[in-house]
Amino acid sequence: MKYIILLSVMLLMSCGNQKEDSTASEVESIPAKSITLWTDKTELFVEFPALVVGENSRFAAHFTVLDKHKPVREGEVTVSLIKGDKGIRNTAESPSSPGIFSPSLQPKEAGNFKLIFDIKTPTFSDTLIVHDIIVYASKEDAINALGAASEDAGISFLKEQAWKIDFQTAPVVNGKIYDVINTSGVWTPASGSVKILVAKSNGVVDFAVSNLTEGTLVKRGQLLIEVSSQGLASNNLSTEIASAKAKYEQAKSEYERKKELYESKIVPKAEFEKVESNYNIAKSNYQSLSSGVSGGGKQIRAPFDGYITAINVANGDYVDQGVAMVTVGTHQSRVLKTQIAPSYGLTMENAQSIWYQTKDGQWRNVATSGGSILSIAKDVDNNRPLISVFAQVNDDVDMPEGSLTQVQIAMGNATQNSMIPISALLEDYGSYSVIVQLSGEGFERRPIKIGKRNGENVEILQGLQVGEVVVTTGAYQVKMASMSGSTPAHGHEH
């Protein structure tokens, strides 16, 4: 998705000291331009003198990776000035400082051109195009067309400042907005996400993991406990295995002998089937006893990656076969149970989705990881006045079972409207505003009216247009910059 292109003409004289060199003074008298463009990957904020035939224009191209909003530190940038199938280009093979590339162009003819920026880094490539760039025949034409210098409006917040803090922007988009039921939910284990491990034989418990406690992380196949019967006068596993092995080998020998006689039609079928049955029973018994045995004890291993949710025995306890010892759970699948009043009229037909809050307060949709609404109760009575709603969450839910979370249930038909992330909102006594990015380093604080909240997004009723860009992380720092009363010095050349 291409965001709206903001092209602002900044009629600025150079902010540097007066140069003695006459050529430098003439170049500085040329009005400057600034352009801001966005793609899905990149933000480009570029400043340069207006393009004039025969004059060298040096670009200060600020490239920001939108994910985490950090400067591009490696790569090359090629700027091209194209008209029809002809043009000129120049490449900056590395940034002159983090995030800033400084290619230059010297136009050879006046007219309407296309300005193209191609960036190539070790991790991605991108192309940003500016249409209808005018190359002027002379400096006088540029000054007459663009006028005299004027001060910037709005809040100045430099790229170098944004790159040093947690900063993020997002476009205003048009999306689906639902009516929501605000409630809370409790985390419960999903089917198959919890498994109770029992003793497979009589014996003494020996923890294979030091300091095994509730909450201990375990890996699939990891040895947790050994149940050993060595040294016991009765119910000795080693003795039982030896006995089972002897019976198995005896039954196997008898089975193989009878099989040959049966195939030679010497013994009847009924006699052979009885021997075969005894052999299979002896084999199964021996394999069951010897499975998972090491050093005279039965091994208990973790069935999947997860954590210990309960421990029912102590190291050194004697346990009988079948006794529950430990319970292993996983964060990767949970059931979210919530309850609402029947007056909402929620059904499987009009329920659209469910959002929940994570441990760090972020909103997520159950459908994002393939989850879904499992069921909605239909009946209520005096003992159950609320309707229960169950949703499967196939995500890593790092919250204890039984803990509460905020929930939004979307229902009914969606409407289309503008929306932004809730994190962009600034609130003052019930009134809301956002920081709008007008250009690469130009911002303004704008009052807005909001509507419904759907998970991490909020509906915009007034104050913003689709395609505008708002600050979602770092808005407070920009707000404080507007209150400082002074504009910080630029950390790069103009």
Side-chain angles (χ1 to χ4, degrees):
M1 176 185 69
K2 296 287 183 180
Y3 301 158
I4 186 171
I5 297 178
L6 300 181
L7 173 59
S8 61
V9 178
M10 295 168 42
L11 310 177
L12 301 175
M13 302 299 288
S14 172
C15 57
N17 295 327
Q18 182 68 30
K19 307 294 184 180
E20 293 182 2
D21 185 271
S22 59
T23 302
S25 299
E26 291 176 354
V27 171
E28 289 177 353
S29 68
I30 299 175
K33 301 180 70 172
S34 71
I35 301 170
T36 306
L37 305 95
W38 289 270
T39 69
D40 289 337
K41 305 174 186 175
T42 314
E43 177 197 296
L44 167 63
F45 169 60
V46 59
E47 299 171 299
F48 60 99
L51 300 179
V52 176
V53 173
E55 299 288 346
N56 187 62
S57 289
R58 186 168 178 241
F59 296 82
H62 306 63
F63 276 93
T64 303
V65 180
L66 287 180
D67 184 23
K68 307 300 184 185
H69 209 88
K70 294 302 178 184
V72 174
R73 298 182 180 274
E74 294 182 85
E76 66 176 29
V77 169
T78 298
V79 59
S80 305
L81 189 64
I82 306 294
K83 184 178 182 181
D85 57 355
K86 296 181 180 180
I88 57 175
R89 64 171 50 91
N90 182 250
T91 298
E93 296 182 350
S94 62
S96 55
S97 61
I100 303 177
F101 294 80
S102 303
S104 60
L105 291 174
Q106 188 173 13
K108 298 179 180 178
E109 61 176 298
N112 191 309
F113 288 77
K114 182 165 57 176
L115 192 62
I116 303 174
F117 292 86
D118 290 297
I119 181 169
K120 295 181 180 179
T121 76
T123 56
F124 75 94
S125 299
D126 207 355
T127 298
L128 301 98
I129 303 174
V130 185
H131 298 275
D132 300 323
I133 287 291
I134 303 299
V135 175
Y136 298 95
S138 65
K139 294 192 292 293
E140 291 75 14
D141 288 348
I143 294 172
N144 291 335
L146 301 178
S150 64
E151 292 296 326
D152 279 328
I155 307 167
S156 177
F157 197 76
L158 305 185
K159 301 309 299 180
E160 289 87 345
Q161 291 176 278
W163 290 336
K164 292 178 181 178
I165 65 173
D166 288 335
F167 196 84
Q168 193 67 60
T169 60
V172 182
V173 298
N174 192 14
K176 292 182 177 180
I177 302 292
Y178 291 95
D179 290 323
V180 297
I181 304 169
N182 290 289
T183 182
S184 62
V186 61
W187 292 110
T188 63
S191 176
S193 66
V194 174
K195 189 168 184 179
I196 299 174
L197 306 181
V198 302
K200 298 180 180 179
S201 66
N202 302 325
V204 178
V205 174
D206 182 18
F207 286 176
V209 178
S210 60
N211 300 320
L212 187 68
T213 58
E214 293 183 10
T216 300
L217 296 178
V218 296
K219 296 290 185 181
R220 180 177 181 178
Q222 180 181 352
L223 179 62
L224 303 179
I225 295 174
E226 285 187 312
V227 179
S228 175
S229 59
Q230 284 187 330
L232 298 179
S234 60
N235 297 321
N236 189 298
L237 181 61
S238 298
T239 302
E240 292 179 6
I241 292 175
S243 175
K245 183 178 181 181
K247 292 179 180 178
Y248 162 63
E249 290 177 345
Q250 182 180 3
K252 180 180 179 182
S253 177
E254 179 70 8
Y255 165 73
E256 291 174 348
R257 187 175 66 85
K258 290 289 185 180
K259 183 178 181 182
E260 291 180 2
L261 294 175
Y262 171 69
E263 291 175 349
S264 300
K265 302 185 183 302
I266 298 175
V267 298
K269 182 179 180 180
E271 183 178 344
F272 170 70
E273 287 179 344
K274 182 178 180 180
V275 171
E276 184 180 36
S277 175
N278 292 337
Y279 163 69
N280 287 332
I281 293 173
K283 179 180 178 182
S284 177
N285 186 43
Y286 170 64
Q287 289 178 341
S288 176
L289 286 172
S290 60
S291 176
V293 174
S294 177
K298 278 280 190 178
Q299 295 182 334
I300 305 299
R301 296 181 178 273
F304 45 68
D305 292 351
Y307 61 99
I308 302 297
T309 64
I311 301 176
N312 302 319
V313 295
N315 202 15
D317 282 354
Y318 175 83
V319 295
D320 292 322
Q321 182 177 348
V323 169
M325 294 190 295
V326 296
T327 304
V328 179
T330 176
H331 289 307
Q332 296 179 348
S333 182
R334 292 284 184 87
V335 169
L336 181 61
K337 176 185 177 181
T338 185
Q339 292 183 311
I340 60 173
S343 58
Y344 286 111
L346 185 69
T347 65
M348 289 295 291
E349 288 71 31
N350 65 15
Q352 301 297 331
S353 189
I354 290 182
W355 290 279
Y356 65 92
Q357 275 194 329
T358 62
K359 183 179 180 181
D360 56 0
Q362 301 296 314
W363 285 99
R364 287 188 188 170
N365 193 313
V366 299
T368 302
S369 56
S372 63
I373 299 175
L374 295 176
S375 64
I376 299 174
K378 299 182 182 298
D379 300 321
V380 296
D381 53 38
N382 291 334
N383 296 323
R384 295 181 302 165
L386 299 177
I387 289 178
S388 296
V389 181
F390 296 88
Q392 176 81 36
V393 179
N394 297 329
D395 209 344
D396 190 2
V397 181
D398 189 15
M399 297 180 72
E401 293 174 16
S403 61
L404 297 175
T405 184
Q406 294 298 308
V407 173
Q408 291 181 353
I409 304 176
M411 63 179 294
N413 297 320
T415 58
Q416 291 285 137
N417 207 348
S418 304
M419 61 184 184
I420 61 172
I422 290 176
S423 58
L425 295 179
L426 296 173
E427 183 180 4
D428 290 310
Y429 303 104
S431 297
Y432 294 94
S433 62
V434 294
I435 300 296
V436 181
Q437 185 174 8
L438 303 176
S439 64
E441 296 179 338
F443 299 81
E444 74 171 13
R445 186 178 180 185
R446 189 182 301 173
I448 61 170
K449 289 185 178 181
I450 66 172
K452 304 167 188 174
R453 301 188 184 216
N454 281 191
E456 65 180 7
N457 294 316
V458 60
E459 180 184 21
I460 300 301
L461 301 178
Q462 184 178 324
L464 291 172
Q465 299 295 323
V466 171
E468 290 188 294
V469 176
V470 296
V471 179
T472 57
T473 303
Y476 180 76
Q477 285 85 340
V478 180
K479 174 185 173 182
M480 294 303 295
S482 70
M483 302 168 62
S484 65
S486 61
T487 302
H490 282 276
H492 49 264
E493 296 183 11
H494 292 270

